[in-house]
């Protein structure tokens, strides 16, 4: 299929396919990266309370001069805030200096304490129910809700009780972590996938992978463009390349059409070189139902 420029969520809202990711993007850099991206064609920005850069992301949005209505803005509920979603939502809105969010995600199905330990006394499903309440009561302030780092196992539990089907599941996706089971499940349920770490990680071995460099040479683009474009060539996918470097921000937005054969070749990389950049065990809740994390 030809690469998409946007996808439509189950709310009817339009989400641009390529967004600027801001994980690990530090204050002092991220505000300029957001401003530059928005001034140069990006209209989708992704942040999170846990990244501790929402204030600077908001400053970058303001400095860009782009009207808020032209920007798709996502942030995420931090794990230690799962007992108090309403308070956390207001804090994010204030830091981002915005009257509304286009999308608010539960960052992990892993409630945590302030000192970074698993909060075994709280159920993430209760957090989701409060997120539903907030969305249904204030759709003008919270236009869509979704999840991040959800496996099929966790989805099955969520959807048994859900009044609102998540609009998005943001997960690690790249040729060495294709998560076909999650992708297929979400597509069947009308849930958009957002790929984080599409290059595999900082200094990723995927950038030197022979299959990736061969396709890049064919289209006269950088290996990063192939890895980012992979998701734009799939239905119901969006993708978040991240950078604070102007040249890379510009380059990452170049999307190419890939043939079905090339997509297949990229998927075959996982057969011999599987890895995750972000293993869920750091949360204290084990593998969170992902088959490769047992």
């Amino acid at each position: 299929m030809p690469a998409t420029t946007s996808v439509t969520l189950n709310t009817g809202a339009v989400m641009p396919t390529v967004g600027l990711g801001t994980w690990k993007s530090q204050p002092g850099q991220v505000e300029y990266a957001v401003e530059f991206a928005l001034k140069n064609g990006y209209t989708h920005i992704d942040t999170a309370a846990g990244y501790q850069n929402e204030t600077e992301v908001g400053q970058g949005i303001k400095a860009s001069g782009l009207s808020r209505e032209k920007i798709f803005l996502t942030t995420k509920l931090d794990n230690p805030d799962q007992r108090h979603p309403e308070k956390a939502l207001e804090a994010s809105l204030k830091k981002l200096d915005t009257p509304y969010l286009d999308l608010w995600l539960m960052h992990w199905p892993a409630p945590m304490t302030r000192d970074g330990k698993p909060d075994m006394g709280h159920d993430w499903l209760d957090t989701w129910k409060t997120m539903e309440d907030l969305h249904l009561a204030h759709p003008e302030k919270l236009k869509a809700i979704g999840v991040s780092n959800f496996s099929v196992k966790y989805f099955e539990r969520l959807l048994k009780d859900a009044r609102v089907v998540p609009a998005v599941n943001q997960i690690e996706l790249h040729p060495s972590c294709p998560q076909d089971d999650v992708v297929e499940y979400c597509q069947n349920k009308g849930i958009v996938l957002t790929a984080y770490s599409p290059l595999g990680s900082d200094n990723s071995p995927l950038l030197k992978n022979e299959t990736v460099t061969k396709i890049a040479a064919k289209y006269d683009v950088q290996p990063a463009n192939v890895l980012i474009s992979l998701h734009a060539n799939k239905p119901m996918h969006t993708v978040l390349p991240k950078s604070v470097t102007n040249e890379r921000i510009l380059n990452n937005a170049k999307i190419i059409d890939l043939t079905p054969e090339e997509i297949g070749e990229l998927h075959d990389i996982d057969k011999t070189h599987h890895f995750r950049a972000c293993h869920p065990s750091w949360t204290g809740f084990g593998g969170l139902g992902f088959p490769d994390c047992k």
Side-chain angles (χ1 to χ4, degrees), residues 6 14 45 54 65 68 78 92 98 124 126 135 138 154 164 175 226 231 238 248 253 268:
S6 66
V14 175
I45 304 292
E54 287 176 310
R68 176 65 185 84
D78 202 10
S92 284
T98 180
W124 60 263
D126 291 330
H135 168 60
H138 306 287
Y154 275 59
V164 178
V226 174
H231 307 288
T238 60
R248 282 190 186 160
D268 284 345

Side-chain angles (χ1 to χ4, degrees), residues 5 16 34 38 41 81 84 88-89 106 116 119 127 130 136 140 158 180 185 189 205 218 232 253 262 273 288:
T5 55
V34 169
L38 291 173
D81 294 325
H84 310 285
L89 174 61
M106 181 189 296
D119 182 359
T127 301
T130 305
L136 293 168
E140 74 295 338
L158 172 68
D180 294 328
Y185 186 90
K189 302 289 184 184
K218 174 184 169 182
E262 287 161 346
H273 188 204
L288 293 181

Side-chain angles (χ1 to χ4, degrees), residues 53-96:
N53 61 15
E54 287 176 310
T55 298
E56 291 77 16
V57 168
Q59 290 166 353
I61 289 171
K62 284 284 188 298
S64 75
L66 215 57
S67 69
R68 176 65 185 84
E69 294 70 32
K70 291 185 176 166
I71 300 164
F72 191 100
L73 178 61
T74 300
T75 194
K76 307 176 193 80
L77 175 70
D78 202 10
N79 297 345
D81 294 325
Q82 287 217 18
R83 286 180 181 263
H84 310 285
E86 186 167 13
K87 199 166 138 191
L89 174 61
E90 292 306 321
S92 284
L93 289 168
K94 187 174 180 185
K95 286 178 183 175
L96 288 161

